[in-house]
Amino acid sequence: MKDAATIIENHREKIVQTVCDLIRIKSVKSAEMPGKPFGEGVNQALEYMLEESENIGFKTENVDGYAGHVDYGDGEETLGILVHLDVVPEGEDWIYPPFGGEIHEDKIYGRGAIDNKGPAVASLYALKAIKEMGIETKRKIRIIFGTDEESGWKDLEYYFQHYPKPDLGFSPDASFPVIHGEKGIQIFNLLYTMQQDEQPIQLVRIKGGNAANMVADRCEVELSMAENIKQMLGNDLEEFIKKTGYDLELEPAGENMVIKAKGISAHGSRPEKGKNAISHLLLFLAQCPGLNESLKKFAAFYEEKIGTEVNGQSIGCGFEDDLSGKLAFNVGKIEMNQDQLILSINTRSPITLKAECVFEGIRKELQETGIHLEIEENIEPLYVPVEDELVKQLMEVYRTETGDLESQPITIGGGTYARALPKAVAFGALFPGQEELAHQKNECIEIKDLMKMTLIYTKAIEALVSGK
């Protein structure tokens, strides 16, 4: 039997090239097109991966542009490996082009490098290694390429209407060693209707953030006012910046003035890792003299009930449990639709908590504010006990291949496709101690780590399908 490490090393150049090529496809969700439910870029990424899979000897299936899969081996049960090819928007301030797929200092840079294109390619070449090794499989192996993981999971909803769910599996879309628990995920909007009044400063527009599950790194508001008010606004903003240290700036926009806030992006499951530009801007508006009373009321609510908190304690959802810790609360977007403000929020609730507790707590704090809650998405938590054979087998593979005997199975606030299966966990791809760059600028993957995870996934597949 050929050695797995040798086989993978022989494919190093192709593995790296495939990741680079895939990153160069801007697979951010866009307008639906015929046969392309999530837009041109996402569809292009799916077709590319299926074509590459066929080129290296696998049978594939494209399920109406919603998802695709690669099959290998036989067995009454199926091991599923669930990856995704869509990515969040790139944001700003990258040192290298976010869709360049460039290599610098032995790292591949680009949106999706670690979340989740690099691990998707690693999984595919792990399956190729299994095939070249001639492993006798007691389970069928199916890699499922998803296309809507970042936006709502409509891909898997459609896919599983046409194909059965694998019996067990893993998703290489988080961290090593094994993620045996994932918090519940809620995405919702706070809606507020603006009213015009006689105050000297009126709202023209407000916009910030890219997605509910990203810490907003940009926000700006355009305000109309008389000429003699502009200097006063500038003075107030200057004092606020001195007091807070926030990155805000004021500039003219025709007869109006625009305030721009700059923050630091981070994954919505870890809002404490970023700096929220929406929060910084609204906290200024909450104390801005002469502001439209309707907008000031909303900003004052924000200051009192949200502010810079990341655990939801003041807005009625500051829950926690021993299994997974505190709820994570992230404000991801703000926009204006005619006279309605829309604030998009992503919470990650403790594993033992029901989502309705989150919504009930928030609704109580919204009473008599004129702000209404609109639920967009609710994903139940995942939990597989550490004693389960799936967790034990993957932990054994990880420890054998890395020599790390100290790391233990963990729970996270992030959400992966693992929760779509009857029994599955997240397995990699970030190694312990590495910086989390998913959903952040300068996302990258080290080539040595890409090769290491490919070997780990090969060994994991072998352990789960060979009956050893």
Side-chain angles (χ1 to χ4, degrees), residues 276-438:
N276 199 309
I278 295 173
S279 295
H280 295 176
L281 185 51
L282 286 176
L283 290 177
F284 170 70
L285 295 179
Q287 58 89 68
C288 181
L291 188 67
N292 171 285
E293 287 295 339
S294 185
L295 177 57
K296 192 157 188 176
K297 180 181 176 183
F298 180 81
F301 166 86
Y302 193 102
E303 180 181 43
E304 179 184 359
K305 299 298 183 181
I306 299 176
T308 57
E309 294 178 0
V310 294
N311 302 119
Q313 56 268 40
S314 295
I315 199 170
C317 58
F319 302 104
E320 63 180 297
D321 65 15
D322 293 336
L323 196 60
S324 55
K326 295 181 178 181
L327 176 141
F329 186 99
N330 180 63
V331 177
K333 287 179 64 179
I334 190 169
E335 54 190 337
M336 190 173 179
N337 183 5
Q338 294 182 338
D339 60 350
Q340 187 175 65
L341 291 181
I342 305 169
L343 193 69
S344 298
I345 296 171
N346 178 201
T347 52
R348 310 290 172 122
S349 57
I351 288 171
T352 59
L353 187 76
K354 292 189 178 297
E356 190 52 39
C357 294
V358 177
F359 299 134
E360 284 181 3
I362 294 173
R363 286 192 185 102
K364 287 181 182 178
E365 298 299 327
L366 296 181
Q367 290 179 5
E368 300 181 4
T369 64
I371 302 172
H372 303 282
L373 186 149
E374 175 189 64
I375 300 172
E376 282 204 351
E377 187 176 349
N378 176 33
I379 302 176
E380 295 298 320
L382 173 149
Y383 180 62
V384 180
V386 293
E387 302 83 10
D388 190 275
E389 194 63 27
L390 174 62
V391 176
K392 289 166 65 176
Q393 285 183 297
L394 292 178
M395 282 299 300
E396 182 177 352
V397 168
Y398 169 79
R399 287 171 174 158
T400 299
E401 297 305 318
T402 64
D404 177 6
L405 304 180
E406 295 184 3
S407 297
Q408 300 296 323
I410 57 176
T411 63
I412 61 169
T416 74
Y417 277 156
R419 61 180 86 202
L421 301 187
K423 184 168 72 172
V425 296
F427 186 49
L430 205 65
F431 289 94
Q434 290 185 329
E435 183 181 3
E436 173 63 82
L437 291 173

Side-chain angles (χ1 to χ4, degrees), residues 8-140:
I8 292 166
E9 184 60 32
N10 288 340
H11 292 301
R12 170 187 285 263
E13 184 177 343
K14 185 58 178 174
I15 292 171
V16 171
Q17 187 61 52
T18 303
V19 174
C20 292
D21 289 346
L22 191 55
I23 288 172
R24 293 180 186 124
I25 300 172
K26 186 175 181 177
S27 52
V28 177
K29 186 176 182 178
S30 58
E32 180 179 0
M33 302 170 66
K36 304 172 184 179
F38 309 114
E40 178 62 43
V42 174
N43 186 75
Q44 187 180 345
L46 176 61
E47 290 186 342
Y48 173 82
M49 276 301 281
L50 293 177
E51 183 179 354
E52 287 299 304
S53 300
E54 291 176 358
N55 289 342
I56 61 174
F58 291 110
K59 178 182 177 183
T60 69
E61 187 75 28
N62 186 333
V63 186
D64 301 328
Y66 281 86
H69 67 234
V70 170
D71 283 342
Y72 178 72
D74 297 297
E76 292 184 5
E77 290 188 330
T78 299
L79 169 69
I81 303 168
L82 278 64
V83 301
H84 69 90
L85 306 176
D86 60 311
V87 298
V88 296
E90 62 273 26
E92 299 181 5
D93 296 333
W94 286 65
I95 56 175
Y96 302 112
F99 296 106
E102 295 182 3
I103 299 173
H104 300 274
E105 298 179 344
D106 295 320
K107 298 177 182 178
I108 306 172
Y109 281 83
R111 177 59 81 223
I114 192 71
D115 182 21
N116 185 234
K117 293 179 175 182
V121 174
S123 299
L124 177 62
Y125 275 86
L127 188 60
K128 181 169 177 57
I130 290 291
K131 182 178 180 181
E132 291 189 23
M133 291 165 66
I135 299 294
E136 182 179 348
T137 64
K138 295 185 178 180
R139 289 182 171 121
K140 182 166 73 173

Side-chain angles (χ1 to χ4, degrees), residues 199-247:
Q199 291 295 321
I201 302 177
Q202 295 293 316
L203 176 65
V204 177
R205 63 178 178 87
I206 186 168
K207 185 175 179 63
N210 291 302
N213 62 353
M214 297 175 68
V215 175
D217 64 351
R218 290 288 191 281
C219 187
E220 64 178 59
V221 61
E222 183 175 347
L223 303 168
S224 65
M225 67 201 74
E227 193 66 32
N228 63 326
I229 302 292
K230 294 179 180 179
Q231 184 61 49
M232 294 172 55
L233 178 67
N235 293 338
D236 291 334
L237 183 63
E238 187 176 335
E239 286 300 314
F240 182 79
I241 293 170
K242 288 180 180 178
K243 178 181 176 182
T244 62
Y246 294 160
D247 190 346

